[in-house]
Amino acid sequence: MKKHLLPLICLCMLIAGKTFASPILPADTVVKLKPEVKQIIEKVIKASGTFSIDEVSDLYAPNAVVADEQPPFSWNGQLAGVQWINSVEKAVKDFKIKDFKVDLQRIKTFQQTEEIVYLVAPVEYTGTVNGEHFEEQGAFSFVLRVVSGKWLIKSQAWIPRNGM
């Protein structure tokens, strides 16, 4: 009899392991990324390739923080996005990058409630420097909050792929 119980116990442990191994999300977590949040991220990433400060001027919270690998490395406040875009444009000019392009890849990592979202946006920047192909891959982590009924960026940080 004991011989027959072992496979049954193993099967029960396997089923229990699969059940408990899946992530348990809080009850208020939204399973699908809200379209308005995705549009904000798309605007910001696109603006970083076109240097369009008008696109980002109203997307950041009054106490926003942006961190990137370009000096001065962090910007604070409602104009943090504008200042960051200006620093990206300066870096592209300083390094004489031609055909500068940005590609936002599929966002797979996010946690979201009705009022706050955390997400990771994989991005690839490409161009040419002195006739040679330039490529930098990495990801931005974002936190967005609803402020006065509007989604705004609270924090944004760049992590280059070689830093992961």
Side-chain angles (χ1 to χ4, degrees), residues 96-122:
K96 298 177 182 162
I97 301 172
K98 303 289 183 205
D99 303 318
F100 187 66
K101 291 184 178 47
V102 61
D103 178 33
L104 170 62
Q105 296 165 6
R106 187 169 159 248
I107 297 170
K108 298 183 278 187
T109 303
F110 68 92
Q111 293 282 327
Q112 179 176 271
T113 68
E114 291 298 324
E115 296 179 358
I116 190 166
V117 61
Y118 164 81
L119 65 86
V120 177

mmCIF file of all heavy atoms in Angstrom, residues 96-122:
data_model
loop_
_atom_site.group_PDB
_atom_site.id
_atom_site.type_symbol
_atom_site.label_atom_id
_atom_site.label_comp_id
_atom_site.label_asym_id
_atom_site.label_seq_id
_atom_site.Cartn_x
_atom_site.Cartn_y
_atom_site.Cartn_z
ATOM 1 N N LYS A 96 28.418 63.293 -32.295
ATOM 2 C CA LYS A 96 28.254 63.362 -33.751
ATOM 3 C C LYS A 96 27.567 62.110 -34.310
ATOM 4 O O LYS A 96 28.001 61.512 -35.289
ATOM 5 C CB LYS A 96 29.583 63.620 -34.437
ATOM 6 C CG LYS A 96 30.185 64.940 -34.019
ATOM 7 C CD LYS A 96 31.529 65.164 -34.641
ATOM 8 C CE LYS A 96 32.049 66.503 -34.109
ATOM 9 N NZ LYS A 96 33.441 66.691 -34.271
ATOM 10 N N ILE A 97 26.488 61.705 -33.620
ATOM 11 C CA ILE A 97 25.714 60.539 -34.039
ATOM 12 C C ILE A 97 24.779 60.962 -35.174
ATOM 13 O O ILE A 97 24.029 61.917 -35.052
ATOM 14 C CB ILE A 97 24.903 59.950 -32.868
ATOM 15 C CG1 ILE A 97 25.839 59.530 -31.734
ATOM 16 C CG2 ILE A 97 24.055 58.774 -33.343
ATOM 17 C CD1 ILE A 97 25.132 59.107 -30.461
ATOM 18 N N LYS A 98 24.840 60.249 -36.270
ATOM 19 C CA LYS A 98 23.987 60.495 -37.437
ATOM 20 C C LYS A 98 22.913 59.407 -37.492
ATOM 21 O O LYS A 98 23.090 58.310 -36.960
ATOM 22 C CB LYS A 98 24.803 60.458 -38.735
ATOM 23 C CG LYS A 98 25.962 61.432 -38.766
ATOM 24 C CD LYS A 98 25.471 62.850 -38.874
ATOM 25 C CE LYS A 98 26.660 63.789 -38.985
ATOM 26 N NZ LYS A 98 26.375 65.113 -38.540
ATOM 27 N N ASP A 99 21.818 59.714 -38.176
ATOM 28 C CA ASP A 99 20.711 58.758 -38.358
ATOM 29 C C ASP A 99 20.250 58.181 -37.018
ATOM 30 O O ASP A 99 19.968 56.983 -36.910
ATOM 31 C CB ASP A 99 21.112 57.628 -39.312
ATOM 32 C CG ASP A 99 21.558 58.146 -40.658
ATOM 33 O OD1 ASP A 99 20.912 59.067 -41.183
ATOM 34 O OD2 ASP A 99 22.581 57.643 -41.180
ATOM 35 N N PHE A 100 20.176 59.009 -36.018
ATOM 36 C CA PHE A 100 19.788 58.587 -34.666
ATOM 37 C C PHE A 100 18.329 58.139 -34.667
ATOM 38 O O PHE A 100 17.446 58.862 -35.115
ATOM 39 C CB PHE A 100 19.994 59.751 -33.698
ATOM 40 C CG PHE A 100 19.797 59.398 -32.255
ATOM 41 C CD1 PHE A 100 20.659 58.524 -31.609
ATOM 42 C CD2 PHE A 100 18.763 59.961 -31.526
ATOM 43 C CE1 PHE A 100 20.500 58.218 -30.274
ATOM 44 C CE2 PHE A 100 18.588 59.665 -30.184
ATOM 45 C CZ PHE A 100 19.455 58.787 -29.559
ATOM 46 N N LYS A 101 18.096 56.929 -34.181
ATOM 47 C CA LYS A 101 16.747 56.370 -34.134
ATOM 48 C C LYS A 101 16.533 55.664 -32.798
ATOM 49 O O LYS A 101 17.481 55.209 -32.168
ATOM 50 C CB LYS A 101 16.534 55.373 -35.276
ATOM 51 C CG LYS A 101 16.494 56.016 -36.647
ATOM 52 C CD LYS A 101 16.179 54.992 -37.707
ATOM 53 C CE LYS A 101 16.076 55.556 -39.083
ATOM 54 N NZ LYS A 101 17.075 56.441 -39.549
ATOM 55 N N VAL A 102 15.278 55.575 -32.419
ATOM 56 C CA VAL A 102 14.914 54.886 -31.185
ATOM 57 C C VAL A 102 13.801 53.894 -31.488
ATOM 58 O O VAL A 102 12.921 54.165 -32.306
ATOM 59 C CB VAL A 102 14.485 55.888 -30.083
ATOM 60 C CG1 VAL A 102 13.276 56.694 -30.509
ATOM 61 C CG2 VAL A 102 14.215 55.182 -28.764
ATOM 62 N N ASP A 103 13.881 52.739 -30.844
ATOM 63 C CA ASP A 103 12.886 51.691 -31.039
ATOM 64 C C ASP A 103 12.417 51.195 -29.670
ATOM 65 O O ASP A 103 13.198 50.593 -28.922
ATOM 66 C CB ASP A 103 13.493 50.536 -31.844
ATOM 67 C CG ASP A 103 12.522 49.393 -32.050
ATOM 68 O OD1 ASP A 103 11.297 49.646 -32.172
ATOM 69 O OD2 ASP A 103 12.971 48.235 -32.082
ATOM 70 N N LEU A 104 11.159 51.485 -29.360
ATOM 71 C CA LEU A 104 10.538 50.956 -28.144
ATOM 72 C C LEU A 104 10.095 49.538 -28.439
ATOM 73 O O LEU A 104 9.356 49.295 -29.397
ATOM 74 C CB LEU A 104 9.338 51.810 -27.735
ATOM 75 C CG LEU A 104 8.449 51.261 -26.620
ATOM 76 C CD1 LEU A 104 9.236 51.123 -25.315
ATOM 77 C CD2 LEU A 104 7.236 52.157 -26.426
ATOM 78 N N GLN A 105 10.571 48.601 -27.636
ATOM 79 C CA GLN A 105 10.196 47.208 -27.839
ATOM 80 C C GLN A 105 9.014 46.861 -26.940
ATOM 81 O O GLN A 105 8.537 47.698 -26.179
ATOM 82 C CB GLN A 105 11.418 46.335 -27.621
ATOM 83 C CG GLN A 105 12.467 46.658 -28.681
ATOM 84 C CD GLN A 105 13.841 46.138 -28.371
ATOM 85 O OE1 GLN A 105 14.053 45.429 -27.412
ATOM 86 N NE2 GLN A 105 14.808 46.514 -29.192
ATOM 87 N N ARG A 106 8.556 45.653 -27.025
ATOM 88 C CA ARG A 106 7.351 45.225 -26.305
ATOM 89 C C ARG A 106 7.535 45.324 -24.789
ATOM 90 O O ARG A 106 8.506 44.807 -24.243
ATOM 91 C CB ARG A 106 7.017 43.791 -26.693
ATOM 92 C CG ARG A 106 5.714 43.317 -26.142
ATOM 93 C CD ARG A 106 5.308 41.990 -26.779
ATOM 94 N NE ARG A 106 4.373 41.335 -25.911
ATOM 95 C CZ ARG A 106 4.625 40.223 -25.246
ATOM 96 N NH1 ARG A 106 5.763 39.604 -25.407
ATOM 97 N NH2 ARG A 106 3.724 39.704 -24.458
ATOM 98 N N ILE A 107 6.589 45.998 -24.151
ATOM 99 C CA ILE A 107 6.591 46.110 -22.687
ATOM 100 C C ILE A 107 5.976 44.838 -22.128
ATOM 101 O O ILE A 107 4.808 44.548 -22.370
ATOM 102 C CB ILE A 107 5.795 47.355 -22.243
ATOM 103 C CG1 ILE A 107 6.459 48.615 -22.775
ATOM 104 C CG2 ILE A 107 5.672 47.390 -20.721
ATOM 105 C CD1 ILE A 107 5.639 49.882 -22.596
ATOM 106 N N LYS A 108 6.783 44.084 -21.396
ATOM 107 C CA LYS A 108 6.313 42.818 -20.840
ATOM 108 C C LYS A 108 6.227 42.854 -19.321
ATOM 109 O O LYS A 108 5.562 42.028 -18.728
ATOM 110 C CB LYS A 108 7.247 41.675 -21.265
ATOM 111 C CG LYS A 108 7.294 41.462 -22.759
ATOM 112 C CD LYS A 108 8.173 40.285 -23.120
ATOM 113 C CE LYS A 108 9.619 40.723 -23.147
ATOM 114 N NZ LYS A 108 10.542 39.715 -23.633
ATOM 115 N N THR A 109 6.925 43.794 -18.698
ATOM 116 C CA THR A 109 6.975 43.836 -17.241
ATOM 117 C C THR A 109 6.263 45.082 -16.744
ATOM 118 O O THR A 109 6.683 46.200 -17.055
ATOM 119 C CB THR A 109 8.437 43.854 -16.754
ATOM 120 O OG1 THR A 109 9.101 42.700 -17.270
ATOM 121 C CG2 THR A 109 8.521 43.868 -15.247
ATOM 122 N N PHE A 110 5.175 44.881 -16.014
ATOM 123 C CA PHE A 110 4.488 46.006 -15.390
ATOM 124 C C PHE A 110 3.585 45.515 -14.263
ATOM 125 O O PHE A 110 3.168 44.364 -14.229
ATOM 126 C CB PHE A 110 3.673 46.810 -16.409
ATOM 127 C CG PHE A 110 2.482 46.075 -16.970
ATOM 128 C CD1 PHE A 110 1.236 46.186 -16.385
ATOM 129 C CD2 PHE A 110 2.620 45.271 -18.084
ATOM 130 C CE1 PHE A 110 0.143 45.512 -16.895
ATOM 131 C CE2 PHE A 110 1.537 44.589 -18.616
ATOM 132 C CZ PHE A 110 0.292 44.714 -18.006
ATOM 133 N N GLN A 111 3.349 46.404 -13.336
ATOM 134 C CA GLN A 111 2.387 46.224 -12.257
ATOM 135 C C GLN A 111 1.552 47.493 -12.254
ATOM 136 O O GLN A 111 2.112 48.594 -12.299
ATOM 137 C CB GLN A 111 3.085 46.080 -10.900
ATOM 138 C CG GLN A 111 3.903 44.834 -10.750
ATOM 139 C CD GLN A 111 3.014 43.639 -10.460
ATOM 140 O OE1 GLN A 111 1.990 43.757 -9.808
ATOM 141 N NE2 GLN A 111 3.420 42.476 -10.933
ATOM 142 N N GLN A 112 0.241 47.367 -12.183
ATOM 143 C CA GLN A 112 -0.595 48.555 -12.288
ATOM 144 C C GLN A 112 -1.865 48.418 -11.475
ATOM 145 O O GLN A 112 -2.488 47.360 -11.468
ATOM 146 C CB GLN A 112 -0.956 48.784 -13.759
ATOM 147 C CG GLN A 112 -1.850 49.967 -14.003
ATOM 148 C CD GLN A 112 -2.083 50.183 -15.475
ATOM 149 O OE1 GLN A 112 -1.325 50.887 -16.099
ATOM 150 N NE2 GLN A 112 -3.125 49.589 -16.019
ATOM 151 N N THR A 113 -2.215 49.488 -10.784
ATOM 152 C CA THR A 113 -3.524 49.594 -10.148
ATOM 153 C C THR A 113 -4.262 50.707 -10.887
ATOM 154 O O THR A 113 -3.791 51.199 -11.911
ATOM 155 C CB THR A 113 -3.396 49.931 -8.644
ATOM 156 O OG1 THR A 113 -2.890 51.257 -8.514
ATOM 157 C CG2 THR A 113 -2.494 48.936 -7.920
ATOM 158 N N GLU A 114 -5.374 51.128 -10.365
ATOM 159 C CA GLU A 114 -6.124 52.203 -11.012
ATOM 160 C C GLU A 114 -5.428 53.554 -10.877
ATOM 161 O O GLU A 114 -5.738 54.488 -11.607
ATOM 162 C CB GLU A 114 -7.536 52.288 -10.431
ATOM 163 C CG GLU A 114 -8.412 51.111 -10.797
ATOM 164 C CD GLU A 114 -8.643 50.963 -12.299
ATOM 165 O OE1 GLU A 114 -8.753 51.988 -12.998
ATOM 166 O OE2 GLU A 114 -8.713 49.821 -12.781
ATOM 167 N N GLU A 115 -4.461 53.699 -9.945
ATOM 168 C CA GLU A 115 -3.847 54.999 -9.695
ATOM 169 C C GLU A 115 -2.329 55.046 -9.841
ATOM 170 O O GLU A 115 -1.739 56.115 -9.782
ATOM 171 C CB GLU A 115 -4.212 55.474 -8.292
ATOM 172 C CG GLU A 115 -5.689 55.705 -8.123
ATOM 173 C CD GLU A 115 -6.058 56.161 -6.736
ATOM 174 O OE1 GLU A 115 -5.158 56.262 -5.869
ATOM 175 O OE2 GLU A 115 -7.245 56.413 -6.507
ATOM 176 N N ILE A 116 -1.683 53.902 -10.005
ATOM 177 C CA ILE A 116 -0.226 53.879 -10.098
ATOM 178 C C ILE A 116 0.220 52.720 -10.977
ATOM 179 O O ILE A 116 -0.433 51.672 -11.024
ATOM 180 C CB ILE A 116 0.427 53.797 -8.692
ATOM 181 C CG1 ILE A 116 1.934 54.020 -8.778
ATOM 182 C CG2 ILE A 116 0.077 52.521 -7.993
ATOM 183 C CD1 ILE A 116 2.592 54.296 -7.446
ATOM 184 N N VAL A 117 1.309 52.916 -11.694
ATOM 185 C CA VAL A 117 1.852 51.849 -12.530
ATOM 186 C C VAL A 117 3.374 51.887 -12.459
ATOM 187 O O VAL A 117 3.986 52.951 -12.383
ATOM 188 C CB VAL A 117 1.376 51.954 -14.006
ATOM 189 C CG1 VAL A 117 1.821 53.237 -14.649
ATOM 190 C CG2 VAL A 117 1.842 50.780 -14.832
ATOM 191 N N TYR A 118 3.958 50.699 -12.425
ATOM 192 C CA TYR A 118 5.405 50.515 -12.554
ATOM 193 C C TYR A 118 5.590 49.681 -13.804
ATOM 194 O O TYR A 118 4.905 48.669 -13.995
ATOM 195 C CB TYR A 118 5.981 49.761 -11.345
ATOM 196 C CG TYR A 118 7.367 49.226 -11.603
ATOM 197 C CD1 TYR A 118 8.476 50.054 -11.495
ATOM 198 C CD2 TYR A 118 7.573 47.906 -11.996
ATOM 199 C CE1 TYR A 118 9.750 49.580 -11.760
ATOM 200 C CE2 TYR A 118 8.837 47.425 -12.266
ATOM 201 C CZ TYR A 118 9.921 48.258 -12.145
ATOM 202 O OH TYR A 118 11.179 47.793 -12.419
ATOM 203 N N LEU A 119 6.523 50.105 -14.678
ATOM 204 C CA LEU A 119 6.766 49.294 -15.867
ATOM 205 C C LEU A 119 8.210 49.415 -16.315
ATOM 206 O O LEU A 119 8.907 50.373 -15.959
ATOM 207 C CB LEU A 119 5.809 49.664 -17.009
ATOM 208 C CG LEU A 119 5.895 51.052 -17.622
ATOM 209 C CD1 LEU A 119 6.931 51.107 -18.720
ATOM 210 C CD2 LEU A 119 4.543 51.425 -18.187
ATOM 211 N N VAL A 120 8.629 48.431 -17.093
ATOM 212 C CA VAL A 120 9.964 48.413 -17.686
ATOM 213 C C VAL A 120 9.773 48.415 -19.199
ATOM 214 O O VAL A 120 9.084 47.553 -19.740
ATOM 215 C CB VAL A 120 10.765 47.172 -17.237
ATOM 216 C CG1 VAL A 120 12.122 47.135 -17.921
ATOM 217 C CG2 VAL A 120 10.913 47.157 -15.720
ATOM 218 N N ALA A 121 10.381 49.414 -19.847
ATOM 219 C CA ALA A 121 10.249 49.576 -21.294
ATOM 220 C C ALA A 121 11.589 49.318 -21.973
ATOM 221 O O ALA A 121 12.487 50.151 -21.898
ATOM 222 C CB ALA A 121 9.760 50.987 -21.607
ATOM 223 N N PRO A 122 11.759 48.159 -22.630
ATOM 224 C CA PRO A 122 12.997 47.885 -23.365
ATOM 225 C C PRO A 122 13.123 48.814 -24.580
ATOM 226 O O PRO A 122 12.148 49.030 -25.298
ATOM 227 C CB PRO A 122 12.856 46.428 -23.815
ATOM 228 C CG PRO A 122 11.672 45.892 -23.096
ATOM 229 C CD PRO A 122 10.826 47.049 -22.704
#
